[in-house]
Amino acid sequence: MCPWAWGSEPAFRRLRTALAGRVRWRRAYAILFDDEDDPAPDPAAETAYYAGYVERISAHTRAPRAARLSRVAASSWPSSLVAGAAELQGADVAERVLRRLRETVFVLGEPADTLEAAVAATRGVPGVDPGRLRADAASPGVLERVRADRAEARRPVPEVLSVRSGSPHPGTAKETPDGGYRYALPTLLLRGPAGYRAVPGWRPYGTYAAAVDELCPGLLDLSAPLSPAEALERHRSLTGPERGLLAEGAWPPPGAVSLETANGLLWLHPDEASAHPAGR
């Protein structure tokens, strides 16, 4: 549910492609909107402020934003639990479920902040078993996993406590109400035999690639980008910044379905468009 993390998807998708089969990639759900947070005294004013905040961030990232945000998410827990549960059904299912959950906020303006809404957002995702997804999201095992993620996010490495960067979002760790700290979102932590590198905040793809190469030289796959049709087949949903990083060739590919947002188009694979919440 973090707009900076949403804006980082192009770089992360390219990095995952360049490292496919060479690394283990693990997401930690930090819980941006916690159940312990006090409710806003004026929800309409909070929504208007937050919509403006997202608009300012999207001016930097060029990521799509919803034409109208219905509300600020009440909680990150339901979507985080559903995303964690989806990982039990395989990597492809997990990627597509997480993407749908992100799009509820930043494309549709209707954050999936209840279990019902989060499960409904995954309808039509290829390979997903909705009954199992719902059951796993409510299971003690997935709850414990997301609790562990939340706790891990509040034990940041020392390097992110003070960050110097020209990025509009350098990624310095955020102070928490109890006087501790949590990682700014997103933060990528690369680990290898030679140690680790932390890359916090919003960064261009080249910064991530350089950190990988510093830690594990030669690990990145430098193959040519996918064709537009291949990229849409693989990812099923592409923003403007993503197509620029992930595909090379005439755009859009045949059959692509465009979806209007407040600041540009989202392109969907035709099969994705037929099942997407935007079309229901």
Side-chain angles (χ1 to χ4, degrees):
M1 291 189 172
C2 171
W4 287 111
W6 168 239
S8 298
E9 274 295 274
F12 286 162
R13 278 183 155 183
R14 180 167 175 183
L15 190 64
R16 288 173 70 87
T17 299
L19 293 173
R22 297 171 176 81
V23 301
R24 183 174 70 93
W25 183 287
R26 181 175 64 88
R27 287 192 177 92
Y29 298 100
I31 308 298
L32 180 62
F33 300 109
D34 211 330
D35 288 346
E36 298 171 359
D37 297 341
D38 293 331
D42 186 342
E46 182 193 38
T47 300
Y49 170 81
Y50 194 72
Y53 174 69
V54 172
E55 182 176 358
R56 292 190 295 275
I57 290 172
S58 68
H60 292 290
T61 66
R62 298 189 302 114
R65 60 181 176 84
R68 177 185 174 274
L69 181 65
S70 69
R71 64 189 181 282
V72 178
S75 173
S76 293
W77 280 98
S79 58
S80 297
L81 291 167
V82 168
E87 293 178 2
L88 301 177
Q89 297 190 37
D92 287 345
V93 167
E95 284 299 304
R96 290 171 175 172
V97 163
L98 181 56
R99 179 64 175 221
R100 284 279 193 89
L101 292 169
R102 284 180 165 143
E103 289 177 353
T104 66
V105 185
F106 300 110
V107 176
L108 305 179
E110 294 285 346
D113 55 1
T114 68
L115 182 60
E116 285 299 320
V119 173
T122 71
R123 199 174 305 149
V125 169
V128 73
D129 179 336
R132 180 186 174 191
L133 188 68
R134 182 187 299 275
D136 286 341
S139 71
V142 170
L143 175 60
E144 184 55 36
R145 175 262 163 95
V146 176
R147 281 176 174 166
D149 285 353
R150 181 190 180 281
E152 180 181 0
R154 285 151 181 79
R155 297 190 300 269
V157 295
E159 288 86 347
V160 303
L161 296 178
S162 177
V163 180
R164 292 184 179 180
S165 166
S167 169
H169 178 46
T172 303
K174 305 289 186 180
E175 191 166 357
T176 54
D178 62 1
Y181 291 90
R182 69 157 172 83
Y183 284 110
L185 307 179
T187 294
L188 196 63
L189 196 62
L190 305 164
R191 296 188 184 275
Y196 69 85
R197 299 289 185 276
V199 189
W202 183 66
R203 308 294 172 126
Y205 171 75
T207 300
Y208 296 111
V212 170
D213 204 49
E214 181 183 349
L215 194 61
C216 299
L219 191 65
L220 288 164
D221 180 357
L222 303 179
S223 300
L226 300 172
S227 72
E230 290 170 333
L232 197 60
E233 180 70 32
R234 174 177 296 184
H235 297 293
R236 295 176 65 88
S237 170
L238 289 169
T239 66
E242 285 173 334
R243 78 171 179 90
L245 266 182
L246 300 172
E248 193 172 273
W251 191 268
V257 178
S258 63
L259 183 65
E260 288 276 0
T261 74
N263 60 332
L265 296 176
L266 179 77
W267 286 276
L268 303 177
H269 186 280
D271 292 344
E272 177 68 8
S274 68
H276 197 277
R280 294 178 199 160

